[in-house]
Amino acid sequence: MPSHPPKPPAAAPFDAVLKAQAEGLGLIAWVGATMLDHAARTATELAAFTRDEARRDALTLGALATCRDPGRAAALRGAYLGDKLAACTDEAEKLARMTAEVCELTRMRMTGTRG
């Protein structure tokens, strides 16, 4: 009965390194694809937001241009600013949620945890 455990073949450490590299390269490819997808979805979301805000700006400018009552003009400006602030806040929250989801998914993938 031998007193020492059998020695692993010389290729075992090399195989372990190759396996770790393959896992790492796979993860790098996945992270790259995930970030590219996130950037594309973010760009699409921002383009839609910009389109909607440009439409709102044009409508408000048209209403101001045809307004003949100073009180009404002041109310239009106040409503516009309130709406703009609310829209920007909502958009920032939406983008933050999208980013948080990608970060959580990436964390789970990198740590091997299941959600």
Side-chain angles (χ1 to χ4, degrees):
M1 182 177 222
S3 61
H4 300 293
K7 289 187 176 183
F14 183 70
D15 290 340
V17 168
L18 286 178
K19 183 180 179 210
Q21 281 181 330
E23 290 172 358
L25 289 175
L27 184 60
I28 290 170
W30 181 86
V31 168
T34 300
M35 292 299 119
L36 185 59
D37 177 65
H38 177 61
R41 288 186 306 116
T42 300
T44 300
E45 177 60 35
L46 286 172
F49 174 74
T50 302
R51 179 200 61 225
D52 294 344
E53 288 305 299
R55 185 175 294 131
R56 183 193 331 255
D57 293 350
L59 290 172
T60 302
L61 187 57
L64 282 171
T66 59
C67 183
R68 299 292 179 236
D69 178 27
R72 173 87 175 118
L76 283 171
R77 285 192 308 268
Y80 169 78
L81 291 174
D83 291 346
K84 180 64 82 174
L85 184 59
C88 289
T89 300
D90 290 346
E91 187 66 14
E93 289 174 357
K94 186 173 190 176
L95 292 172
R97 274 192 310 276
M98 289 171 61
T99 301
E101 289 170 5
V102 170
C103 290
E104 180 61 16
L105 181 62
T106 302
R107 183 196 64 78
M108 288 172 40
R109 175 75 189 257
M110 292 180 80
T111 60
T113 58
R114 302 285 182 224

XYZ file of all heavy atoms in Angstrom:
842
model
N 0.842 -1.169 0.000
C 0.000 0.000 0.000
C 0.892 1.239 0.000
O 1.703 1.420 0.895
C -0.875 -0.055 1.242
C -1.806 1.066 1.337
S -2.775 0.746 2.802
C -4.325 1.148 2.353
N 0.732 2.124 -1.000
C 1.607 3.309 -1.073
C 1.247 4.320 0.009
O 0.099 4.491 0.371
C 1.360 3.861 -2.458
C 0.062 3.309 -2.905
C -0.142 2.022 -2.148
N 2.243 5.014 0.525
C 2.024 6.010 1.570
C 1.727 7.393 1.009
O 1.304 8.268 1.732
C 3.244 6.075 2.492
O 4.371 6.463 1.730
N 1.972 7.609 -0.242
C 1.723 8.900 -0.895
C 0.602 8.745 -1.913
O 0.486 7.705 -2.549
C 2.979 9.393 -1.627
C 4.154 9.582 -0.705
N 4.191 10.545 0.254
C 5.326 8.903 -0.608
C 5.335 10.473 0.911
N 6.040 9.473 0.407
N -0.215 9.808 -2.051
C -1.239 9.717 -3.088
C -0.586 9.660 -4.463
O 0.518 10.187 -4.648
C -2.055 10.997 -2.926
C -1.198 11.926 -2.152
C -0.242 11.076 -1.364
N -1.247 9.032 -5.395
C -0.639 8.949 -6.729
C -0.474 10.348 -7.312
O -1.310 11.222 -7.122
C -1.637 8.120 -7.543
C -2.910 8.139 -6.762
C -2.553 8.418 -5.336
N 0.616 10.560 -8.011
C 0.891 11.860 -8.636
C 0.014 12.020 -9.877
O -0.149 11.086 -10.644
C 2.357 11.964 -9.024
C 3.272 12.090 -7.843
C 4.690 12.350 -8.292
C 5.565 12.579 -7.087
N 6.927 12.906 -7.472
N -0.546 13.235 -10.029
C -1.336 13.444 -11.242
C -0.421 13.451 -12.454
O 0.767 13.765 -12.336
C -1.973 14.813 -11.024
C -1.117 15.499 -10.036
C -0.483 14.399 -9.199
N -0.975 13.108 -13.583
C -0.133 13.167 -14.776
C 0.347 14.599 -15.007
O -0.280 15.553 -14.572
C -1.049 12.705 -15.912
C -2.396 12.491 -15.326
C -2.308 12.670 -13.846
N 1.435 14.745 -15.683
C 2.046 16.059 -15.906
C 1.105 16.999 -16.662
O 1.192 18.213 -16.516
C 3.350 15.911 -16.668
N 0.188 16.482 -17.424
C -0.702 17.317 -18.229
C -1.865 17.884 -17.410
O -2.534 18.808 -17.858
C -1.247 16.525 -19.401
N -2.133 17.373 -16.208
C -3.288 17.814 -15.423
C -3.276 19.315 -15.133
O -4.293 19.978 -15.340
C -3.401 17.012 -14.143
N -2.173 19.918 -14.661
C -2.183 21.372 -14.441
C -2.400 22.149 -15.735
O -3.116 23.150 -15.766
C -0.812 21.679 -13.845
C -0.341 20.391 -13.287
C -0.945 19.325 -14.164
N -1.803 21.675 -16.800
C -1.968 22.331 -18.094
C -3.429 22.271 -18.531
O -3.987 23.263 -19.011
C -1.050 21.664 -19.124
C -1.100 22.317 -20.478
C -0.559 23.588 -20.665
C -1.682 21.678 -21.555
C -0.600 24.197 -21.906
C -1.730 22.289 -22.795
C -1.188 23.541 -22.975
N -4.065 21.120 -18.346
C -5.483 20.980 -18.700
C -6.348 21.914 -17.854
O -7.312 22.499 -18.356
C -5.941 19.537 -18.508
C -5.332 18.596 -19.541
O -4.890 19.096 -20.604
O -5.290 17.382 -19.280
N -6.014 22.050 -16.575
C -6.770 22.943 -15.699
C -6.655 24.389 -16.169
O -7.641 25.137 -16.169
C -6.293 22.808 -14.264
N -5.464 24.792 -16.568
C -5.263 26.159 -17.068
C -6.037 26.364 -18.364
O -6.684 27.399 -18.556
C -3.755 26.450 -17.266
C -3.537 27.737 -18.051
C -3.055 26.518 -15.928
N -5.997 25.399 -19.258
C -6.747 25.513 -20.513
C -8.244 25.627 -20.256
O -8.943 26.426 -20.896
C -6.465 24.314 -21.417
C -5.099 24.303 -22.098
C -4.936 23.025 -22.919
C -4.933 25.513 -22.987
N -8.748 24.854 -19.309
C -10.172 24.908 -18.983
C -10.536 26.286 -18.415
O -11.544 26.877 -18.796
C -10.528 23.826 -17.980
C -12.000 23.785 -17.660
C -12.339 22.692 -16.665
C -13.818 22.745 -16.384
N -14.183 22.308 -15.094
N -9.713 26.798 -17.514
C -9.972 28.117 -16.922
C -9.933 29.204 -17.994
O -10.759 30.122 -17.988
C -8.965 28.408 -15.820
N -8.978 29.100 -18.911
C -8.906 30.090 -19.985
C -10.136 30.032 -20.875
O -10.681 31.065 -21.261
C -7.650 29.867 -20.831
C -6.388 30.391 -20.207
C -5.193 30.170 -21.111
O -5.153 29.215 -21.889
N -4.209 31.042 -20.995
N -10.572 28.829 -21.185
C -11.764 28.687 -22.031
C -12.984 29.284 -21.342
O -13.789 29.973 -21.976
C -11.999 27.215 -22.358
N -13.131 29.049 -20.058
C -14.254 29.630 -19.325
C -14.155 31.151 -19.309
O -15.145 31.852 -19.489
C -14.304 29.081 -17.904
C -14.719 27.624 -17.837
C -14.572 27.026 -16.446
O -14.114 27.740 -15.530
O -14.907 25.855 -16.291
N -12.957 31.659 -19.082
C -12.762 33.105 -19.063
C -13.034 33.738 -20.414
O -13.684 34.775 -20.511
N -12.555 33.115 -21.480
C -12.804 33.660 -22.820
C -14.285 33.615 -23.160
O -14.816 34.542 -23.771
C -11.985 32.890 -23.858
C -10.479 33.133 -23.814
C -9.766 32.225 -24.796
C -10.142 34.587 -24.072
N -14.959 32.565 -22.741
C -16.396 32.492 -22.960
C -17.126 33.595 -22.216
O -18.064 34.211 -22.734
N -16.685 33.859 -20.994
C -17.302 34.916 -20.201
C -17.032 36.283 -20.816
O -17.928 37.130 -20.878
C -16.786 34.871 -18.759
C -17.420 35.857 -17.792
C -18.931 35.615 -17.696
C -16.790 35.736 -16.426
N -15.825 36.486 -21.296
C -15.488 37.762 -21.933
C -16.369 37.982 -23.163
O -16.893 39.076 -23.372
C -13.993 37.815 -22.309
C -13.137 37.922 -21.045
C -13.701 38.974 -23.254
C -11.659 37.738 -21.285
N -16.548 36.950 -23.955
C -17.407 37.079 -25.135
C -18.847 37.389 -24.722
O -19.514 38.226 -25.336
C -17.347 35.793 -25.958
N -19.327 36.719 -23.682
C -20.693 36.955 -23.210
C -20.847 38.384 -22.701
O -21.824 39.067 -23.029
C -21.049 35.959 -22.103
C -22.432 36.146 -21.597
C -23.580 35.612 -22.107
C -22.840 36.961 -20.487
N -24.668 36.043 -21.389
C -24.236 36.870 -20.386
C -22.154 37.748 -19.573
C -24.960 37.535 -19.408
C -22.875 38.419 -18.602
C -24.264 38.310 -18.524
N -19.890 38.856 -21.898
C -19.964 40.227 -21.364
C -19.937 41.234 -22.516
O -20.709 42.194 -22.521
C -18.824 40.495 -20.353
C -18.708 41.974 -20.033
C -19.042 39.696 -19.080
N -19.089 41.003 -23.498
C -19.030 41.904 -24.645
C -20.353 41.969 -25.386
O -20.848 43.056 -25.714
N -20.946 40.816 -25.635
C -22.239 40.778 -26.330
C -23.334 41.428 -25.492
O -24.195 42.146 -26.018
C -22.607 39.331 -26.663
N -23.301 41.202 -24.190
C -24.304 41.794 -23.299
C -24.185 43.313 -23.275
O -25.185 44.032 -23.337
C -24.145 41.220 -21.878
O -24.328 39.804 -21.935
C -25.145 41.812 -20.918
N -22.969 43.819 -23.193
C -22.767 45.273 -23.168
C -23.169 45.905 -24.507
O -23.760 46.985 -24.536
C -21.307 45.612 -22.846
C -20.886 45.253 -21.436
S -21.847 46.121 -20.188
C -22.593 44.757 -19.340
N -22.879 45.222 -25.609
C -23.269 45.737 -26.915
C -24.792 45.781 -27.037
O -25.361 46.774 -27.519
C -22.675 44.873 -28.019
C -22.887 45.350 -29.451
C -22.292 46.738 -29.653
C -22.273 44.370 -30.423
N -25.466 44.736 -26.570
C -26.927 44.711 -26.584
C -27.491 45.830 -25.712
O -28.434 46.517 -26.106
C -27.434 43.349 -26.093
C -28.945 43.310 -26.019
O -29.596 43.409 -27.075
O -29.474 43.193 -24.893
N -26.903 46.025 -24.545
C -27.367 47.091 -23.644
C -27.181 48.462 -24.291
O -28.075 49.321 -24.217
C -26.622 47.015 -22.310
C -26.981 48.105 -21.365
N -28.257 48.293 -20.888
C -26.229 49.087 -20.806
C -28.280 49.341 -20.075
N -27.064 49.835 -20.016
N -26.048 48.665 -24.942
C -25.805 49.948 -25.609
C -26.833 50.178 -26.727
O -27.348 51.291 -26.877
C -24.390 49.984 -26.176
N -27.155 49.135 -27.474
C -28.137 49.272 -28.553
C -29.529 49.571 -27.994
O -30.245 50.437 -28.525
C -28.166 47.995 -29.392
N -29.922 48.869 -26.922
C -31.231 49.123 -26.325
C -31.297 50.521 -25.713
O -32.314 51.209 -25.816
C -31.558 48.054 -25.276
C -31.880 46.705 -25.905
C -32.347 45.629 -24.938
N -31.419 45.416 -23.839
C -31.699 45.657 -22.560
N -32.862 46.117 -22.202
N -30.795 45.413 -21.630
N -30.204 50.963 -25.107
C -30.156 52.308 -24.527
C -30.253 53.368 -25.626
O -30.984 54.356 -25.483
C -28.867 52.495 -23.707
O -28.838 51.524 -22.659
C -28.776 53.879 -23.107
N -29.545 53.160 -26.720
C -29.600 54.116 -27.829
C -31.010 54.197 -28.410
O -31.506 55.294 -28.709
C -28.602 53.717 -28.917
N -31.674 53.061 -28.537
C -33.045 53.038 -29.041
C -33.978 53.784 -28.095
O -34.827 54.577 -28.523
C -33.526 51.587 -29.227
O -32.661 50.943 -30.162
C -34.954 51.526 -29.721
N -33.806 53.533 -26.803
C -34.642 54.211 -25.798
C -34.414 55.724 -25.836
O -35.367 56.505 -25.799
C -34.322 53.658 -24.413
C -35.057 54.333 -23.291
C -36.571 54.219 -23.404
O -37.062 53.183 -23.876
O -37.263 55.191 -23.037
N -33.162 56.144 -25.913
C -32.860 57.582 -25.954
C -33.368 58.231 -27.235
O -33.822 59.379 -27.215
C -31.370 57.817 -25.786
C -30.848 57.611 -24.362
C -29.327 57.683 -24.330
C -31.447 58.633 -23.420
N -33.313 57.512 -28.349
C -33.833 58.061 -29.604
C -35.350 58.272 -29.509
O -35.867 59.304 -29.954
C -33.495 57.129 -30.767
N -36.051 57.312 -28.922
C -37.499 57.451 -28.750
C -37.819 58.612 -27.804
O -38.743 59.404 -28.060
C -38.104 56.155 -28.224
N -37.053 58.723 -26.723
C -37.260 59.822 -25.777
C -37.031 61.167 -26.461
O -37.824 62.100 -26.316
C -36.320 59.663 -24.579
C -36.364 60.812 -23.625
C -37.437 60.992 -22.771
C -35.322 61.720 -23.568
C -37.484 62.056 -21.893
C -35.351 62.793 -22.689
C -36.436 62.962 -21.848
N -35.962 61.268 -27.225
C -35.642 62.510 -27.928
C -36.737 62.871 -28.923
O -37.147 64.033 -29.012
C -34.286 62.377 -28.649
O -33.286 62.055 -27.678
C -33.899 63.647 -29.368
N -37.232 61.884 -29.658
C -38.315 62.122 -30.613
C -39.556 62.662 -29.895
O -40.149 63.654 -30.318
C -38.654 60.815 -31.331
C -39.786 60.939 -32.343
C -40.421 59.600 -32.665
N -40.992 59.019 -31.460
C -40.842 57.738 -31.093
N -40.150 56.914 -31.827
N -41.402 57.287 -29.991
N -39.929 62.003 -28.804
C -41.121 62.429 -28.062
C -40.949 63.826 -27.470
O -41.881 64.629 -27.488
C -41.439 61.428 -26.943
C -41.841 60.055 -27.483
O -42.166 59.949 -28.682
O -41.809 59.089 -26.695
N -39.771 64.106 -26.957
C -39.526 65.428 -26.373
C -39.486 66.514 -27.441
O -39.952 67.633 -27.216
C -38.246 65.427 -25.540
C -38.389 64.667 -24.231
C -39.552 65.171 -23.402
O -39.562 66.349 -23.015
O -40.480 64.370 -23.148
N -38.947 66.211 -28.603
C -38.933 67.200 -29.693
C -40.365 67.520 -30.122
O -40.696 68.683 -30.389
C -38.122 66.672 -30.871
N -41.203 66.502 -30.159
C -42.608 66.716 -30.508
C -43.277 67.600 -29.454
O -43.983 68.550 -29.778
C -43.325 65.372 -30.614
C -44.755 65.496 -31.090
C -45.407 64.134 -31.301
N -44.740 63.453 -32.397
C -44.301 62.187 -32.341
N -44.467 61.465 -31.263
N -43.723 61.640 -33.386
N -43.026 67.301 -28.186
C -43.609 68.100 -27.098
C -43.098 69.538 -27.157
O -43.855 70.487 -26.975
C -43.273 67.481 -25.741
C -43.908 68.238 -24.574
C -43.374 67.872 -23.198
N -42.877 66.549 -23.032
C -43.529 65.569 -22.384
N -44.710 65.791 -21.867
N -42.974 64.385 -22.253
N -41.816 69.704 -27.428
C -41.237 71.048 -27.528
C -41.885 71.839 -28.659
O -42.205 73.025 -28.499
C -39.727 70.966 -27.757
C -38.973 70.408 -26.565
O -39.574 70.251 -25.477
O -37.775 70.108 -26.730
N -42.075 71.188 -29.811
C -42.669 71.870 -30.960
C -44.114 72.280 -30.665
O -44.531 73.398 -31.021
C -42.614 70.972 -32.190
N -44.862 71.395 -30.021
C -46.252 71.732 -29.677
C -46.310 72.903 -28.699
O -47.139 73.811 -28.853
C -46.960 70.514 -29.094
C -47.250 69.374 -30.077
C -47.782 68.156 -29.333
C -48.226 69.834 -31.144
N -45.443 72.884 -27.720
C -45.430 73.971 -26.736
C -44.996 75.282 -27.382
O -45.583 76.340 -27.118
C -44.500 73.619 -25.562
O -44.934 72.400 -24.968
C -44.479 74.711 -24.511
N -43.987 75.219 -28.227
C -43.533 76.431 -28.916
C -44.647 76.992 -29.799
O -44.862 78.214 -29.850
C -42.289 76.130 -29.746
C -41.597 77.314 -30.387
C -41.191 78.344 -29.329
C -40.380 76.856 -31.158
N -45.370 76.113 -30.470
C -46.497 76.562 -31.293
C -47.586 77.219 -30.450
O -48.146 78.242 -30.835
N -47.865 76.622 -29.294
C -48.884 77.198 -28.412
C -48.428 78.556 -27.884
O -49.232 79.495 -27.783
C -49.173 76.245 -27.252
N -47.151 78.675 -27.546
C -46.632 79.963 -27.067
C -46.642 81.020 -28.170
O -46.908 82.197 -27.915
C -45.217 79.800 -26.512
C -45.102 79.208 -25.123
C -43.644 78.893 -24.792
C -45.686 80.153 -24.085
N -46.342 80.596 -29.387
C -46.283 81.544 -30.507
C -47.656 82.119 -30.830
O -47.762 83.265 -31.277
C -45.697 80.865 -31.738
N -48.694 81.356 -30.591
C -50.040 81.830 -30.921
C -50.781 82.399 -29.708
O -51.896 82.897 -29.852
C -50.879 80.679 -31.523
O -50.950 79.606 -30.587
C -50.258 80.189 -32.822
N -50.148 82.338 -28.548
C -50.788 82.811 -27.316
C -50.766 84.342 -27.277
O -49.742 84.976 -27.496
C -50.072 82.224 -26.106
S -50.834 82.692 -24.555
N -51.911 84.933 -26.958
C -52.001 86.384 -26.894
C -52.222 86.872 -25.471
O -52.274 88.078 -25.238
C -53.158 86.878 -27.778
C -52.991 86.520 -29.234
C -51.828 87.300 -29.839
N -51.660 86.945 -31.222
C -50.531 86.481 -31.738
N -49.489 86.309 -30.992
N -50.444 86.205 -33.017
N -52.329 85.972 -24.529
C -52.602 86.338 -23.138
C -51.354 86.081 -22.291
O -50.879 84.946 -22.227
C -53.777 85.500 -22.626
C -54.105 85.761 -21.171
O -53.832 86.872 -20.683
O -54.644 84.838 -20.519
N -50.780 87.113 -21.649
C -49.564 86.924 -20.851
C -49.747 85.910 -19.707
O -48.837 85.137 -19.411
C -49.265 88.317 -20.291
C -49.993 89.261 -21.167
C -51.176 88.527 -21.699
N -50.904 85.892 -19.097
C -51.153 84.929 -18.020
C -51.140 83.498 -18.535
O -50.586 82.589 -17.913
N -51.771 83.342 -19.692
C -51.794 82.001 -20.320
C -50.390 81.595 -20.746
O -50.000 80.432 -20.617
C -52.745 82.022 -21.508
C -52.751 80.779 -22.338
C -53.739 79.755 -21.792
N -53.786 78.624 -22.709
C -53.432 77.396 -22.372
N -53.062 77.114 -21.153
N -53.487 76.434 -23.254
N -49.609 82.541 -21.268
C -48.231 82.241 -21.683
C -47.394 81.802 -20.480
O -46.610 80.854 -20.571
C -47.599 83.456 -22.361
N -47.564 82.479 -19.362
C -46.834 82.096 -18.143
C -47.256 80.702 -17.684
O -46.420 79.893 -17.272
C -47.078 83.120 -17.043
N -48.531 80.398 -17.776
C -49.021 79.073 -17.381
C -48.476 77.997 -18.314
O -48.100 76.906 -17.862
C -50.550 79.054 -17.389
N -48.417 78.305 -19.613
C -47.855 77.345 -20.573
C -46.386 77.052 -20.265
O -45.951 75.902 -20.294
C -47.987 77.874 -22.006
C -49.355 77.785 -22.660
C -49.375 78.546 -23.983
C -49.729 76.325 -22.880
N -45.630 78.121 -19.976
C -44.209 77.934 -19.654
C -44.042 77.105 -18.383
O -43.199 76.212 -18.316
C -43.504 79.288 -19.512
C -43.236 79.961 -20.826
C -42.278 81.144 -20.690
N -42.682 82.111 -19.664
C -43.434 83.180 -19.870
N -43.867 83.436 -21.083
N -43.736 83.995 -18.895
N -44.847 77.408 -17.380
C -44.761 76.656 -16.129
C -45.124 75.191 -16.317
O -44.441 74.297 -15.797
N -46.183 74.940 -17.058
C -46.592 73.558 -17.325
C -45.526 72.833 -18.141
O -45.225 71.659 -17.887
C -47.926 73.540 -18.058
N -44.957 73.531 -19.112
C -43.907 72.933 -19.942
C -42.712 72.520 -19.084
O -42.206 71.397 -19.205
C -43.466 73.921 -21.027
C -42.220 73.484 -21.746
C -42.279 72.506 -22.728
C -40.989 74.035 -21.427
C -41.130 72.096 -23.384
C -39.834 73.631 -22.078
C -39.909 72.652 -23.049
O -38.769 72.236 -23.680
N -42.264 73.415 -18.223
C -41.109 73.095 -17.380
C -41.399 71.923 -16.436
O -40.562 71.046 -16.242
C -40.657 74.325 -16.596
C -40.034 75.435 -17.444
C -39.753 76.659 -16.575
C -38.772 74.956 -18.123
N -42.598 71.909 -15.866
C -42.970 70.796 -14.995
C -43.025 69.481 -15.751
O -42.517 68.453 -15.274
N -43.619 69.508 -16.947
C -43.690 68.293 -17.772
C -42.306 67.829 -18.203
O -42.014 66.634 -18.228
C -44.564 68.535 -19.007
C -46.034 68.702 -18.675
O -46.432 68.370 -17.530
O -46.784 69.176 -19.556
N -41.449 68.792 -18.571
C -40.086 68.442 -19.019
C -39.304 67.802 -17.884
O -38.627 66.787 -18.076
C -39.368 69.701 -19.519
C -37.962 69.486 -20.008
C -37.905 68.597 -21.207
C -38.203 69.358 -22.457
N -38.010 68.549 -23.677
N -39.403 68.372 -16.691
C -38.700 67.814 -15.535
C -39.212 66.409 -15.218
O -38.417 65.495 -14.967
C -38.873 68.732 -14.323
C -38.107 68.336 -13.066
C -36.620 68.283 -13.336
C -38.411 69.317 -11.959
N -40.516 66.214 -15.270
C -41.091 64.891 -14.997
C -40.650 63.875 -16.051
O -40.300 62.736 -15.722
C -42.618 64.979 -14.951
N -40.644 64.278 -17.322
C -40.245 63.366 -18.395
C -38.772 62.977 -18.266
O -38.412 61.803 -18.428
C -40.506 64.007 -19.759
N -37.929 63.951 -17.952
C -36.497 63.652 -17.789
C -36.252 62.756 -16.583
O -35.418 61.845 -16.638
C -35.694 64.949 -17.675
S -35.597 65.866 -19.225
N -36.980 62.987 -15.507
C -36.850 62.142 -14.316
C -37.293 60.715 -14.620
O -36.616 59.751 -14.259
C -37.682 62.719 -13.159
O -37.213 64.033 -12.873
C -37.577 61.866 -11.918
N -38.422 60.573 -15.304
C -38.907 59.232 -15.669
C -37.913 58.507 -16.571
O -37.656 57.314 -16.400
C -40.259 59.330 -16.379
C -41.386 59.740 -15.454
O -41.205 59.696 -14.217
O -42.459 60.120 -15.969
N -37.360 59.229 -17.527
C -36.394 58.617 -18.447
C -35.129 58.200 -17.704
O -34.582 57.114 -17.946
C -36.058 59.577 -19.589
C -35.200 58.963 -20.661
C -35.891 57.857 -21.434
O -37.126 57.707 -21.345
O -35.186 57.121 -22.144
N -34.659 59.036 -16.800
C -33.469 58.680 -16.016
C -33.725 57.433 -15.169
O -32.865 56.559 -15.068
C -33.057 59.852 -15.128
N -34.914 57.346 -14.581
C -35.256 56.160 -13.793
C -35.302 54.915 -14.673
O -34.813 53.848 -14.286
C -36.604 56.348 -13.101
C -36.572 57.340 -11.964
C -37.950 57.629 -11.389
O -38.972 57.096 -11.898
O -38.025 58.417 -10.431
N -35.878 55.046 -15.852
C -35.964 53.908 -16.777
C -34.573 53.439 -17.192
O -34.282 52.236 -17.180
C -36.780 54.305 -18.006
C -37.055 53.164 -18.941
C -38.001 53.630 -20.032
C -38.493 52.451 -20.849
N -39.486 52.867 -21.838
N -33.698 54.373 -17.537
C -32.337 54.010 -17.933
C -31.561 53.407 -16.765
O -30.779 52.466 -16.953
C -31.608 55.231 -18.497
C -32.145 55.753 -19.825
C -31.468 57.070 -20.182
C -31.964 54.733 -20.934
N -31.785 53.916 -15.572
C -31.117 53.356 -14.394
C -31.581 51.921 -14.141
O -30.769 51.048 -13.806
C -31.391 54.228 -13.168
N -32.881 51.659 -14.304
C -33.397 50.287 -14.135
C -32.803 49.352 -15.184
O -32.417 48.227 -14.877
C -34.923 50.272 -14.234
C -35.634 50.558 -12.945
C -37.127 50.237 -13.021
N -37.802 50.822 -14.172
C -38.277 52.059 -14.214
N -38.163 52.848 -13.167
N -38.882 52.513 -15.286
N -32.741 49.813 -16.431
C -32.165 48.988 -17.495
C -30.710 48.640 -17.179
O -30.291 47.488 -17.320
C -32.234 49.729 -18.841
C -33.620 49.852 -19.417
S -33.710 50.961 -20.859
C -32.628 50.147 -22.022
N -29.957 49.629 -16.725
C -28.548 49.401 -16.399
C -28.414 48.484 -15.195
O -27.559 47.585 -15.185
C -27.841 50.744 -16.151
O -27.956 51.542 -17.330
C -26.375 50.550 -15.809
N -29.241 48.664 -14.190
C -29.193 47.810 -13.002
C -29.495 46.359 -13.356
O -28.857 45.439 -12.820
C -30.169 48.316 -11.941
N -30.440 46.143 -14.251
C -30.756 44.770 -14.674
C -29.560 44.120 -15.362
O -29.244 42.959 -15.099
C -31.969 44.772 -15.605
C -33.269 45.084 -14.913
C -34.418 45.314 -15.883
O -34.232 45.137 -17.118
O -35.514 45.659 -15.409
N -28.896 44.857 -16.234
C -27.725 44.312 -16.929
C -26.602 44.038 -15.929
O -25.943 42.999 -15.993
C -27.253 45.267 -18.042
C -25.906 44.846 -18.595
C -28.279 45.320 -19.150
N -26.403 44.949 -14.995
C -25.352 44.746 -13.985
C -25.643 43.519 -13.121
O -24.737 42.732 -12.829
C -25.201 45.994 -13.111
S -24.480 47.389 -13.984
N -26.886 43.347 -12.723
C -27.248 42.191 -11.896
C -27.088 40.893 -12.681
O -26.562 39.907 -12.163
C -28.685 42.335 -11.377
C -29.146 41.188 -10.519
C -28.330 40.965 -9.251
O -27.574 41.870 -8.842
O -28.446 39.881 -8.677
N -27.516 40.886 -13.914
C -27.355 39.704 -14.751
C -25.873 39.370 -14.930
O -25.472 38.203 -14.834
C -28.022 39.940 -16.107
C -27.981 38.799 -17.108
C -28.725 37.582 -16.564
C -28.586 39.246 -18.426
N -25.065 40.383 -15.154
C -23.621 40.174 -15.316
C -22.996 39.668 -14.021
O -22.175 38.742 -14.037
C -22.941 41.482 -15.759
O -23.544 41.909 -16.985
C -21.458 41.298 -15.973
N -23.397 40.234 -12.894
C -22.868 39.763 -11.594
C -23.217 38.304 -11.381
O -22.376 37.495 -10.973
C -23.422 40.608 -10.458
C -22.852 40.219 -9.077
C -23.672 40.774 -7.941
N -25.019 40.257 -7.879
C -25.334 39.042 -7.396
N -24.410 38.250 -6.930
N -26.598 38.651 -7.372
N -24.466 37.952 -11.664
C -24.891 36.555 -11.466
C -24.101 35.621 -12.378
O -23.684 34.548 -11.967
C -26.396 36.428 -11.715
C -27.227 37.060 -10.619
S -29.003 37.160 -10.943
C -29.395 35.639 -11.709
N -23.889 36.032 -13.616
C -23.151 35.199 -14.564
C -21.690 35.050 -14.139
O -21.119 33.972 -14.212
C -23.263 35.812 -15.959
C -22.447 35.136 -17.027
C -23.075 33.816 -17.441
N -22.207 33.047 -18.301
C -22.359 32.934 -19.610
N -23.349 33.509 -20.216
N -21.505 32.208 -20.298
N -21.091 36.144 -13.665
C -19.669 36.096 -13.299
C -19.430 35.324 -12.014
O -18.379 34.736 -11.832
C -19.112 37.518 -13.200
C -19.045 38.213 -14.543
S -18.381 39.874 -14.430
C -16.635 39.477 -14.355
N -20.405 35.351 -11.109
C -20.223 34.635 -9.844
C -20.831 33.239 -9.880
O -20.660 32.471 -8.922
C -20.854 35.419 -8.683
O -22.253 35.581 -8.910
C -20.180 36.767 -8.504
N -21.538 32.919 -10.938
C -22.126 31.588 -11.054
C -23.355 31.383 -10.219
O -23.782 30.257 -10.004
N -23.966 32.476 -9.717
C -25.174 32.340 -8.903
C -26.385 32.276 -9.801
O -26.385 32.754 -10.932
C -25.327 33.504 -7.921
O -25.361 34.733 -8.654
C -24.183 33.541 -6.924
N -27.435 31.690 -9.282
C -28.703 31.596 -10.016
C -29.711 32.512 -9.355
O -29.779 32.607 -8.145
C -29.238 30.162 -9.994
C -28.284 29.154 -10.574
C -28.273 29.279 -12.082
N -27.387 28.267 -12.640
C -26.541 28.507 -13.592
N -26.441 29.700 -14.098
N -25.778 27.564 -14.079
N -30.506 33.183 -10.178
C -31.486 34.142 -9.667
C -32.774 33.545 -9.273
O -33.186 32.488 -9.327
